[in-house]
Amino acid sequence: MAFDWGTAVPGHGNRIAAIGQNVYDNAVEALQSAEDAADFAQDAADQLVLVQTAANGAFAAANYKGDWVGLSGALAVPATVTHLGRLWYLKSNLANVASQTPALGSTYWGEVSRNDFTVLPCPAGSTNAADRGMYRMTAATSVLVLPAAPFHGMVVAAVNVSGTLTPYIQRNGKTICGDAEDYVMNQLGWQIVLQYDSTSGDWLRVSGFTAFTPFSTNQPFNQANNWTGAQNFAGGLTLNGSPIIETGTNANGTFTKFADGALHMTAVASLNMTTLAGLTQTFPYAFVGDRPWVGFCGIAAQAGQENLRNCVAICGANNWLIRTEVTVAGVTAYPIKLMAIGRWA
């Protein structure tokens, strides 16, 4: 028995060695397969977006029922419809499809995912904005008009490629980024994407799509406004539609309006000192609020200047009133300078 067992051992050893070699070969092959799988993993991830897009398209095509406006009666899942240029899928059965309008946040409808924009022109003049339009503002007078009655979730984009700082987005009754003002595209290369929120009535800026592409020496919004003499603004700067600094001259004198609301004005007049009636001179620009400070002085090197001590300056409702307390014979036309300081806003 010992002899039979001993003579069989060499054959078993060979078989065990063969099994070991086979395991080793399989391990090498498995390692190579793992490396190949790692190489293809990124390709698979890249294809996932395309697969999802194709799946959405296949789902929509297989269950498309038509435009929602023309549908009526019961509608069961699965079903897709179009409405306001978008594709919607039904999440729950409806006894009457007309009773539930497709919209973002709806219990019954969801939008088939979509991230594309249609590039559209916005030349000189007014252009009405459409959903998912990317408007290229190519002229100094380009105006993109937002709809007066946008639907919840509507998306509009614009970019300033005009070479000027004057194209703007007209809010058309709604607010833009919380402001009841039109949105001026006052940076070259500025791109913004807005989405309408029906709850707040506001066009909100979409993060991740709004961007600034700097041109030349123009400053982005997040940098200091270091204006130079070459960066002038045609027509002057405005604050809520009003000039923040302005000067003007008319028949009644000269005025200067400042950004903080201060208003300064001057005039030259001729005072007759032979009568107590004095001189009434209308302001060149109307003040607001409390009556302004007023004053006067004689023009240098004029005969009779010492007689000004007999005069006082009074502010009327809309005028200077320079009165003499004592008449001075023979001084019928004494030239004086008038000054008033108050507020325009």
Side-chain angles (χ1 to χ4, degrees):
M1 294 175 61
F3 176 81
D4 292 340
W5 180 83
T7 56
V9 167
H12 290 297
N14 292 337
R15 293 185 180 91
I16 292 172
I19 293 173
Q21 182 63 45
N22 183 256
V23 170
Y24 174 80
D25 293 341
N26 287 343
V28 171
E29 184 177 352
L31 177 61
Q32 184 61 49
S33 297
E35 292 174 350
D36 292 341
D39 293 337
F40 289 117
Q42 185 58 50
D43 291 340
D46 294 339
Q47 293 298 318
L48 180 58
V49 174
L50 298 178
V51 171
Q52 290 172 333
T53 301
N56 289 335
F59 173 80
N63 303 284
Y64 182 63
K65 305 301 180 182
D67 192 65
W68 175 82
V69 174
L71 300 178
S72 61
L75 187 64
V77 176
T80 58
V81 300
T82 49
H83 182 57
L84 296 175
R86 297 191 177 194
L87 186 63
W88 307 86
Y89 66 92
L90 187 63
K91 295 189 285 186
S92 299
N93 295 342
L94 279 172
N96 181 7
V97 64
S99 65
Q100 296 292 329
T101 305
L104 295 179
S106 169
T107 302
Y108 293 90
W109 296 102
E111 185 184 10
V112 178
S113 61
R114 185 181 162 202
N115 292 314
D116 57 311
F117 285 90
T118 301
V119 179
L120 298 169
C122 184
S126 297
T127 301
N128 293 324
D131 182 44
R132 294 195 184 276
M134 165 59 81
Y135 291 89
R136 291 171 51 82
M137 309 179 87
T138 55
T141 56
S142 294
V143 178
L144 182 61
V145 182
L146 297 174
F151 60 87
H152 182 72
M154 183 176 181
V155 179
V156 175
V159 59
N160 181 5
V161 292
S162 68
T164 67
L165 306 179
T166 54
Y168 67 93
I169 302 174
Q170 189 178 105
R171 64 188 184 91
N172 203 6
K174 308 299 182 183
T175 57
I176 300 178
C177 300
D179 293 328
E181 298 178 3
D182 293 334
Y183 189 95
V184 181
M185 303 286 284
N186 59 355
Q187 292 290 336
L188 303 182
W190 180 251
Q191 173 183 299
I192 189 168
V193 179
L194 300 171
Q195 185 169 38
Y196 183 67
D197 175 47
S198 60
T199 302
S200 61
D202 187 33
W203 287 92
L204 304 173
R205 182 173 65 87
V206 179
S207 300
F209 290 93
T210 301
F212 175 79
T213 304
F215 279 69
S216 185
T217 58
N218 292 281
Q219 301 290 331
F221 289 160
N222 61 350
Q223 295 184 13
N225 290 326
N226 299 316
W227 304 111
T228 67
Q231 292 170 308
N232 295 320
F233 292 83
L237 294 173
T238 62
L239 177 64
N240 294 329
S242 299
I244 65 172
I245 186 165
E246 178 185 359
T247 60
T249 300
N250 54 43
N252 296 320
T254 298
F255 64 89
T256 302
K257 298 160 62 176
F258 295 93
D260 63 353
L263 175 59
H264 295 187
M265 58 183 66
T266 59
V268 176
S270 180
L271 175 63
N272 185 347
M273 303 180 76
T274 65
T275 173
L276 296 177
L279 165 72
T280 300
Q281 177 84 355
T282 302
F283 293 139
Y285 195 97
F287 287 100
V288 298
D290 295 336
R291 291 190 180 187
W293 294 87
V294 297
F296 72 101
C297 66
I299 296 178
Q302 294 292 324
Q305 183 170 345
E306 67 278 2
N307 294 322
L308 288 178
R309 67 180 181 272
N310 296 322
C311 300
V312 295
I314 304 171
C315 175
N318 191 35
N319 56 264
W320 288 282
L321 178 58
I322 312 301
R323 298 189 61 175
T324 59
E325 297 298 315
V326 179
T327 60
V328 180
V331 184
T332 59
Y334 189 85
I336 59 174
K337 290 183 177 181
L338 306 174
M339 178 187 66
I341 301 176
R343 301 194 63 80
W344 65 273

